[in-house]
Amino acid sequence: VQLQASGGGLVQAGGSLRLSCAPSGGAFRNIAMGWFRQAPGKEREFVARILWNRGLTDYSDSVKGRFTISGDSAKNTVSLQMDSLKPEDTAVYFCVSQSPTTGYNYWGQGTLVTVSS
């Protein structure tokens, strides 16, 4: 299974981008999908997650109120609408799939988001 992320790019501060992620290569079972990011010189950090059961969402404090995650459990696709972007949002964004037993077991290749000041 591979997760393909797209939608990254260069945007000015205050702008918006929408990231999307779709799987290929076979069926898999998961309970959630989400996004992590890694800025240059920093550790990878959690951004947002959507749990298929009841559609619950989690966000990191740094993006809450600015980012919105959505997804389709039947297709195992996930999107991240990013508004009011800040330079500190600059990072490579990775989509992930969460297994019911082994945690985040599938990771996308990453898509670069650059926010200029």
Side-chain angles (χ1 to χ4, degrees):
V1 174
Q2 293 184 334
L3 299 180
Q4 185 69 39
S6 61
L10 174 64
V11 64
Q12 289 187 333
S16 298
L17 281 175
R18 184 176 181 86
L19 306 182
S20 297
C21 178
S24 63
F28 59 100
R29 182 167 173 249
N30 60 8
I31 60 171
M33 293 189 73
W35 295 89
F36 280 69
R37 68 185 181 185
Q38 187 166 19
K42 295 188 177 181
E43 293 187 355
R44 193 170 296 186
E45 64 174 359
F46 169 80
V47 175
R49 177 182 66 160
I50 181 166
L51 294 146
W52 297 140
N53 183 21
R54 293 184 289 174
L56 296 176
T57 56
D58 292 327
Y59 296 94
S60 68
D61 288 342
S62 61
V63 307
K64 196 172 295 183
R66 300 187 297 119
F67 290 10
T68 304
I69 190 169
S70 60
D72 185 330
S73 60
K75 299 179 180 179
N76 278 323
T77 58
V78 65
S79 295
L80 186 69
Q81 177 65 39
M82 305 185 295
D83 298 318
S84 303
L85 282 161
K86 304 176 181 179
E88 51 263 44
D89 294 318
T90 294
V92 176
Y93 284 71
F94 300 89
C95 63
V96 298
S97 172
Q98 183 176 1
S99 161
T101 56
T102 57
Y104 294 111
N105 57 338
Y106 293 123
W107 292 76
Q109 86 288 359
T111 185
L112 177 62
V113 172
T114 304
V115 184
S116 63
S117 57

